[in-house]
Amino acid sequence: QYLERMRMNMNTKKIYNVVWFDDQYATLIGIQEQAHLNGIKLYGFSNAKDGIEELEKNLEKYDAAIVDGLFYKEPGQTGDTTSPHALFEVGKKIVELQPKKVLDWFILSGQTSFTKDKHLFAEAFKNNKVYDKNKDEDLKELWKDIQEAADKQPLTQIRHKHQKVFDVCKKNYIGEDASKYLMPILYSMEHPHETFDDEQHFNGLRKILEHVFRASNKFGFLHDDCITKRGVNLTWSSLFMKGEDNKNMRDKKINKSKRHFSVLLGKMVDLLRDVTCSASHTEQDGSYIEEDKENKDKTNYYEYKDQIQSNYLLYSLT
């Protein structure tokens, strides 16, 4: 019973994604284990350049950052080429990214030039607040401060509220890109009074559905020919997963299989496909792509949008 309670606690614990700049991150196993026990998942980078590129690409993924006092500026550097200027570069970039997202960050160092003395960059960025990686009490304080700071972040709150959903948005399931499409919609649902153009996000929902079908194919449920050179054929994919087919599929020797979607889920997927294709995947002249021409009764999104000015259609599909 004790072990079962422990498993349940681990499954329900909040998970924090933290980018970690440290040239020795791979060998600091004790710090990694402590972070893990506190629900903190560390993504390590030995140099400023690679880590900054990751932040620019996936800023919304991270809840906080940890930065060493001395580490490498460029990839491929080794030995004694560590520099405090790497910290400066990372701190400057985090400040530059604030219009997109305010990311709390913390200096963790084992160097006495940071932990015992005042350092120019630590003083400038953090009022010389430095956590000593050689002191257990400092590490405990660091984990606590990261959690408290991250819990104030709107995107972190959304990720924790829908954690089971974001657990599926990983590379071993439907892929991390799915969370990029999902997050701004969920943010809008939590902040309905902020300006929000819903039309662009129907394409995001469509992309998520494509990721689901690609994963279904990867795991052996969906026929290979439902994934074409042009991309995912959503019509064929949804039919196949419902245990159905149509003439075009039979002509391609894609015969129906056992039902993988329940009747209700199949109807929901059809609605999601029809509306998102109508809203997001038309040619400039208004005609639908070839795949969508199979659906003669396609929902006319633009007619609906002209009559009803709200985001609720997007929210309900989400």
Side-chain angles (χ1 to χ4, degrees):
Q1 289 177 343
Y2 171 76
L3 290 174
E4 184 61 28
R5 287 198 300 271
M6 289 292 291
R7 291 191 194 97
M8 291 177 64
N9 288 337
M10 289 299 293
N11 288 336
T12 58
K13 182 190 293 185
K14 295 178 181 178
I15 303 299
Y16 302 87
N17 297 321
V18 177
V19 59
W20 184 21
F21 295 83
D22 194 307
D23 58 299
Q24 297 180 333
Y25 77 87
T27 63
L28 296 173
I29 306 301
I31 290 179
Q32 294 182 37
E33 290 177 347
Q34 282 195 41
H36 175 74
L37 291 173
N38 284 274
I40 294 170
K41 187 172 183 180
L42 297 174
Y43 295 81
F45 293 88
S46 64
N47 65 87
K49 186 175 186 297
D50 287 344
I52 286 173
E53 288 179 358
E54 170 65 11
L55 278 180
E56 290 176 329
K57 181 180 178 183
N58 295 307
L59 181 62
E60 74 286 342
K61 170 182 174 178
Y62 293 104
D63 304 305
I66 298 174
V67 186
D68 190 12
L70 297 174
F71 60 105
Y72 301 123
K73 286 184 64 176
E74 301 288 338
Q77 290 183 313
T78 58
D80 297 329
T81 56
T82 57
S83 167
H85 290 282
L87 180 149
F88 175 78
E89 293 296 329
V90 173
K92 181 164 67 80
K93 176 54 64 174
I94 290 176
V95 172
E96 291 174 359
L97 291 172
Q98 284 182 352
K100 294 182 178 179
K101 178 180 178 179
V102 176
L103 188 72
D104 292 289
W105 62 288
F106 306 84
I107 301 175
L108 175 65
S109 179
Q111 299 290 328
T112 56
S113 58
F114 281 88
T115 59
K116 301 295 183 184
D117 306 323
K118 282 192 175 183
H119 193 281
L120 174 63
F121 296 149
E123 182 75 17
F125 283 116
K126 291 294 176 181
N127 198 25
N128 217 60
K129 174 62 176 176
V130 177
Y131 301 81
D132 191 334
K133 65 172 62 171
N134 298 312
K135 291 183 177 180
D136 286 341
E137 58 268 28
D138 275 27
L139 290 171
K140 290 177 182 178
E141 182 184 4
L142 174 62
W143 311 138
K144 175 175 169 290
D145 289 347
I146 286 175
Q147 292 169 345
E148 290 181 351
D151 283 341
K152 298 175 184 177
Q153 290 271 4
L155 299 188
T156 302
Q157 293 170 3
I158 291 170
R159 188 180 296 108
H160 288 164
K161 183 176 181 180
H162 304 281
Q163 187 157 308
K164 287 187 176 181
V165 176
F166 285 100
D167 284 346
V168 180
C169 299
K170 296 178 180 177
K171 62 181 179 181
N172 50 329
Y173 293 108
I174 69 171
E176 293 187 356
D177 281 349
S179 65
K180 294 182 180 180
Y181 303 126
L182 184 62
M183 181 62 83
I185 305 174
L186 295 179
Y187 179 86
S188 174
M189 293 170 73
E190 298 286 344
H191 303 82
H193 300 298
E194 295 187 16
T195 302
F196 180 75
D197 179 13
D198 67 349
E199 189 170 319
Q200 62 176 313
H201 296 292
F202 281 98
N203 191 53
L205 291 186
R206 189 181 194 280
K207 291 292 186 182
I208 293 174
L209 190 58
E210 290 179 4
H211 283 301
V212 170
F213 284 133
R214 288 186 186 278
S216 300
N217 174 255
K218 179 176 68 175
F219 291 118
F221 298 114
L222 180 62
H223 197 289
D224 288 344
D225 288 340
C226 292
I227 312 294
T228 68
K229 290 182 178 179
R230 293 187 61 190
V232 179
N233 189 313
L234 295 181
T235 300
W236 291 4
S237 297
S238 60
L239 284 171
F240 191 87
M241 295 294 283
K242 291 189 298 181
E244 302 173 8
D245 58 20
N246 62 18
K247 181 180 183 302
N248 289 339
M249 293 172 67
R250 291 190 292 273
D251 289 345
K252 296 285 187 178
K253 309 299 182 183
I254 308 174
N255 297 317
K256 60 187 177 183
S257 178
K258 63 176 289 188
R259 174 182 287 274
H260 296 295
F261 286 164
S262 66
V263 174
L264 179 59
L265 180 58
K267 289 180 178 179
M268 293 171 69
V269 169
D270 286 344
L271 178 62
L272 180 63
R273 181 200 66 208
D274 288 349
V275 176
T276 57
C277 285
S278 175
S280 67
H281 211 191
T282 58
E283 302 294 346
Q284 289 185 347
D285 62 358
S287 61
Y288 298 109
I289 62 171
E290 181 178 356
E291 160 200 339
D292 298 328
K293 290 176 182 176
E294 296 185 26
N295 300 320
K296 296 180 180 179
D297 298 324
K298 175 162 291 298
T299 304
N300 189 329
Y301 164 78
Y302 293 101
E303 182 178 308
Y304 167 88
K305 191 66 176 176
D306 286 341
Q307 298 174 2
I308 302 176
Q309 298 293 324
S310 83
N311 298 328
Y312 293 126
L313 176 61
L314 177 71
Y315 295 161
S316 64
L317 291 174
T318 303

